[in-house]
Amino acid sequence: MIILGIESSCDETAAAIVKDGREVLANVVSSQIKIHEQYGGVVPEIAAREHLNSVNIVIKEAYKQASIIPDKIDAFASTAGPGLTGCLLVGLNAAKALSVVYSKPYIGVNHLSAHVCANFLNSDLTPPFVCLLVSGGHTQVIYVKDYDNQEILASTIDDAVGEVYDKVARLCSIPYPGGVLLDKKAHEGNFRAFNFPEAKVKKDEFSFSGLKTAVLREVKKFEKDNIPKADIAASFQHRIVDTLIKKTKKLSLELNCKTIVLSGGVAANSELRKRLLELQKEGFKTYAPELKYCTDNAAMVASCAYFNPIKTENSMLLEVFSRD
Ligand code: KG4
Ligand code: ZN
């Protein structure tokens, strides 16, 4: 089954063509980073307009990359939510229009489930496994019992990990997109320079607002031009990654599930990937998507349409939703 997927939930307009949920035939992403850079973050109205400008271009490019004609597509899929409403509408309406024109089904997809499915792309992973999903809007440990059967084991009670990365980057005057640049900066610093606290929370919770405040308190002790950015970045990154890995490992062991996978934009983080790999020495099997499938993309949408679509009687009546 060949599915064309469209992603437009936030600041990337993407189209991809994937066979049987795993084999990527085309993957096209148009990032809006350059446009939102000047505002220091994503402006929803501008993002939606940019999706409109780009959506047909990325779809055409996907056909070209896959050397395929639209008639050969078996279904058209898009992210239905969660995300920015105006942005989601662009992808959803494009996919529905294509499904009408070519008389093929439309499939709606949940953005978080799609991030999980990024691990199936060009890989042999099969459930059950435990997935640490870390993105700009979410932080969850999910028990994926089967392709369409998942249970949330833990989630954040305040900020998402990506959100904290972006906020701490801003505190340190590291420009947008903060997460990836802070990750780079951390390599130049000493992770023992600052001893940032770990939140005391319940087994099924994460909390990062205290860590954010602790960073702010340290930053305020320095003149703007003298902030020890690299040491703060390294110490912050060490604390947050350690917290994520420890909890994911503990929850996996409790379930006697020894396969752990990463997903979401923060799964591109170098320290998180390194610590995940180290778990192999303790007998865990580990997976992480290729970097291009960690941040928002449409290949994961097409994979999710195959493995874990939103179940509904008439998908053409499916509407976008902003929150999960
Ligand atoms: O999954 P994603 O592309 O969009 C959402 O669904 O939210 O995730 C974006 C988030 C941003 O907060 C970004 O700063 C963060 O992922 N991110 C990173 C890295 N690359 C992207 N955070 C830490 N280290 C990275 N290398
Ligand atoms: Zn995402």
Side-chain angles (χ1 to χ4, degrees):
M1 184 168 181
I2 296 177
I3 299 179
L4 183 140
I6 301 172
E7 158 62 33
S8 67
S9 66
C10 188
D11 57 351
E12 337 271 355
T13 323
I17 300 173
V18 177
K19 189 176 171 195
D20 297 336
R22 294 188 187 265
E23 191 186 336
V24 182
L25 305 179
N27 180 50
V28 183
V29 182
S30 166
S31 170
Q32 300 181 2
I33 285 181
K34 282 264 161 304
I35 293 155
H36 299 292
E37 216 167 29
Q38 54 191 307
Y39 306 103
V42 179
V43 185
E45 270 301 311
I46 296 174
R49 236 178 297 145
E50 280 308 313
H51 286 305
L52 261 184
N53 289 338
S54 307
V55 71
N56 287 326
I57 299 170
V58 294
I59 292 168
K60 269 193 199 151
E61 185 60 31
Y63 288 134
K64 202 168 130 198
Q65 244 185 43
S67 302
I68 217 171
I69 54 165
D71 282 318
K72 296 281 179 210
I73 303 291
D74 298 307
F76 295 91
S78 81
T79 308
L84 301 168
T85 304
C87 297
L88 290 163
L89 277 170
V90 176
L92 177 128
N93 284 320
K96 279 186 180 176
L98 286 166
S99 81
V100 170
V101 170
Y102 294 101
S103 305
K104 297 286 168 58
Y106 164 74
I107 304 174
V109 155
N110 179 301
H111 186 72
L112 303 184
S113 307
H115 271 302
V116 176
C117 288
N119 281 285
F120 298 132
L121 298 168
N122 304 333
S123 111
D124 60 358
L125 174 70
T126 52
F129 55 84
V130 168
C131 177
L132 170 64
L133 167 66
V134 270
S135 72
H138 293 84
T139 302
Q140 297 177 342
V141 180
I142 307 166
Y143 183 29
V144 181
K145 299 175 204 176
D146 207 340
Y147 291 102
D148 60 352
N149 183 3
Q150 315 186 343
E151 183 191 339
I152 296 172
L153 303 174
S155 49
T156 181
I157 52 170
D158 39 56
D159 293 359
V161 174
E163 196 181 350
V164 186
Y165 259 93
D166 296 336
K167 284 179 182 167
V168 167
R170 217 167 299 146
L171 290 178
C172 296
S173 309
I174 293 171
Y176 167 90
V180 62
L181 296 179
L182 198 146
D183 181 9
K184 276 204 187 118
K185 198 82 202 155
H187 289 277
E188 301 163 20
N190 171 11
F191 75 86
R192 291 197 178 87
F194 297 91
N195 187 15
F196 291 127
E198 183 170 347
K200 290 189 177 53
V201 286
K202 293 190 204 133
K203 190 173 104 179
D204 60 350
E205 291 175 348
F206 289 106
S207 167
F208 302 108
S209 66
L211 175 58
K212 191 180 61 190
T213 311
V215 174
L216 175 65
R217 215 175 294 128
E218 288 301 333
V219 167
K220 275 189 167 165
K221 291 181 187 164
F222 299 91
E223 297 284 333
K224 198 164 179 270
D225 295 334
N226 281 327
I227 299 169
K229 291 182 194 178
D231 284 348
I232 288 184
S235 307
F236 161 78
Q237 175 143 294
H238 173 73
R239 172 58 63 224
I240 206 158
V241 168
D242 191 60
T243 304
L244 291 169
I245 289 286
K246 273 194 314 207
K247 182 152 291 191
T248 308
K249 181 179 147 186
K250 188 161 183 278
L251 291 167
S252 305
L253 285 174
E254 277 179 19
L255 290 165
N256 201 20
C257 176
K258 298 214 74 178
T259 305
I260 297 183
V261 319
L262 297 181
S263 70
V266 187
N269 184 267
S270 60
E271 180 74 16
L272 188 57
R273 293 174 87 90
K274 187 173 137 232
R275 290 285 306 271
L276 179 84
L277 271 184
E278 283 169 9
L279 290 177
Q280 291 187 1
K281 287 186 221 135
E282 298 177 43
F284 286 92
K285 241 182 135 177
T286 68
Y287 290 79
E290 287 172 52
L291 291 186
K292 62 184 172 205
Y293 302 135
C294 289
T295 41
D296 289 346
N297 65 88
M300 68 183 194
V301 173
S303 175
C304 190
Y306 182 83
F307 286 117
N308 189 17
I310 294 175
K311 292 182 182 72
T312 163
E313 272 186 18
N314 182 355
S315 64
M316 288 306 272
L317 298 179
L318 190 68
E319 295 192 35
V320 301
F321 52 97
S322 57
R323 310 200 128 261
D324 46 331

